[in-house]
């Protein structure tokens, strides 16, 4: 079975909202720090909360960038692993991307062929359906 792509939008929407909440909390805590008398315990606590919220906002943003940067590459690696294991189809071009219904160069039984995939189970190479390995 060929894995279906995981939609990125829900993850992105949630992480943008979470980062926004952290940055807003940092801003509000920073305002509290500015209104407090310097050196008091209230000032130290609000400064600690502002710094912690800002760090969490930056970490969340970095996590979001990592997801956006690596999602397609990780999906393609999973599809190629599935094609190699279940169908004996190898990539003819290193780090080649895959899209459903778009032809791509591949190697099957040592021959260069042009294949297309249809999720979740169909692989067609040079006009012939490739049966899954049993």
């Amino acid at each position: 079975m060929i894995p279906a792509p995981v939609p990125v939008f829900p993850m992105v929407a949630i992480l943008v909202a979470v980062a926004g909440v952290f940055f807003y909390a940092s801003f509000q805590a920073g305002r509290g720090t500015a209104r407090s008398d310097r050196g008091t315990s209230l000032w130290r606590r609000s400064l600690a909360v502002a710094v912690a919220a800002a760090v969490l906002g930056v970490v969340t943003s970095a996590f979001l960038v990592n997801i956006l940067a690596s999602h397609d590459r990780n999906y393609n690696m999973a599809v190629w692993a599935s094609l190699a294991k279940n169908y004996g189809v190898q990539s003819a071009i290193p780090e080649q991307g895959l899209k459903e219904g778009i032809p791509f160069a591949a190697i099957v039984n040592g021959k260069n062929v042009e294949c297309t995939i249809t999720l979740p189970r169909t692989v067609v190479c040079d006009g012939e359906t490739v049966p899954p390995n049993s």
Side-chain angles (χ1 to χ4, degrees), residues 9 16 19 25 40-41 48-49 55-56 58 61 66 70-71 74 78 99 106-107 120 128 132 134:
F9 178 75
V16 165
T40 63
S41 64
V49 169
V55 167
L56 288 172
V58 168
S61 298
N66 183 28
S70 64
H71 178 265
N74 290 339
K99 298 263 187 228
I107 300 171
E128 296 180 20
S134 298

Side-chain angles (χ1 to χ4, degrees), residues 71-133:
H71 178 265
D72 288 340
R73 180 177 40 92
N74 290 339
Y75 174 69
N76 285 331
M77 288 177 15
V79 170
W80 278 114
S82 174
L83 288 174
K85 178 181 175 186
N86 297 326
Y87 296 91
V89 176
Q90 302 289 328
S91 175
I93 302 170
E95 298 184 27
Q96 177 174 232
L98 294 171
K99 298 263 187 228
E100 183 178 11
I102 307 277
F104 58 90
I107 300 171
V108 177
N109 297 328
K111 293 177 15 183
N112 287 329
V113 294
E114 188 173 271
C115 300
T116 58
I117 59 173
T118 305
L119 298 176
R121 299 182 190 266
T122 307
V123 179
V124 177
C125 293
D126 284 347
E128 296 180 20
T129 302
V130 178
N133 298 337

Side-chain angles (χ1 to χ4, degrees), residues 4-80:
V6 176
V8 177
F9 178 75
M11 290 184 287
V12 169
I14 289 169
L15 289 175
V16 165
V18 168
V21 167
F22 283 138
F23 287 129
Y24 182 71
S26 176
F27 172 74
Q28 291 292 18
R31 286 181 60 196
T33 301
R35 293 180 181 170
S36 302
D37 292 330
R38 188 175 191 91
T40 63
S41 64
L42 179 62
W43 180 83
R44 283 191 297 273
R45 286 184 200 144
S46 60
L47 180 63
V49 169
V51 169
V55 167
L56 288 172
V58 168
V59 168
T60 304
S61 298
F63 184 55
L64 174 64
V65 168
N66 183 28
I67 287 173
L68 292 174
S70 64
H71 178 265
D72 288 340
R73 180 177 40 92
N74 290 339
Y75 174 69
N76 285 331
M77 288 177 15
V79 170
W80 278 114

